[in-house]
Amino acid sequence: AQKVTQAQTEISVVEKEDVTLDCVYETRDTTYYLFWYKQPPSGELVFLIRRNSFDEQNEISGRYSWNFQKSTSSFNFTITASQVVDSAVYFCALSEASGGFNKFYFGSGTKLNVKP
Amino acid sequence: EAGVAQSPRYKIIEKRQSVAFWCNPISGHATLYWYQQILGQGPKLLIQFQNNGVVDDSQLPKDRFSAERLKGVDSTLKIQPAKLEDSAVYLCASSFGRGQETQYFGPGTRLLVL
């Protein structure tokens, strides 16, 4: 079973539209971390946010916001008023403790195309 | 602050040849990771080092892949012999500690095996 599921393979929007990227995770740990990374065409993964399992407060950073819901094991990412520069592949990731060290799992990514 | 450095950026080899990738993590970062990212997929962790010791190599194909981090700083990942299915981007990342901390990624090495 997939530890991190990003069901949306590819999304296309027109500039200034809002878009939400879905992420569903699976873990038995009570302590874990969730991440979002952006991978632009250049290829380098860029860190966006880290959330621990005890903090369900939603977070907003400029045009980006994240909705963490433990009840549905989801950690969704919304971009408000999208821009062409937001075009990239976005990855959700889970980190859980295992035998004294952390195991990291990435989803398969959602490719976002923002058209002018 | 300098980011994670990797070289080479691109490599083309024929199957059964050997290849090595180099990574220099962010200064002061104790934990170093190597990932394999096949086109259209998310990164898959191959090996994790804490200083110069291996913490997790459960997904490393040990019959052909090897990695080392001798002085607890930079690291080398080797494939010998390469197969067609090894064509991928090899990403190196580092984090400050052993906890569930943020990983910072390098630009990757794009490998094509012909």
Side-chain angles (χ1 to χ4, degrees), chain B residues 2 10 14 24-25 27 42 49 74 93-94 97 104 110-111 113-114:
Chain B
Y10 304 92
E14 295 190 349
N24 190 281
S27 178
F49 290 95
D74 55 351
S94 69
Y104 295 92
R110 192 175 298 272
L111 174 67
V113 183
L114 302 175

Side-chain angles (χ1 to χ4, degrees), chain A residues 3 27-33 94-105, chain B residues 98-100:
Chain A
K3 282 282 192 178
T27 181
R28 294 183 179 179
D29 286 7
T30 54
T31 303
Y32 53 89
Y33 282 76
L94 165 70
S95 172
E96 55 182 20
S98 173
F101 60 91
N102 304 302
K103 293 188 79 75
F104 290 85
Y105 305 92
Chain B
R98 190 172 125 174
Q100 297 179 345

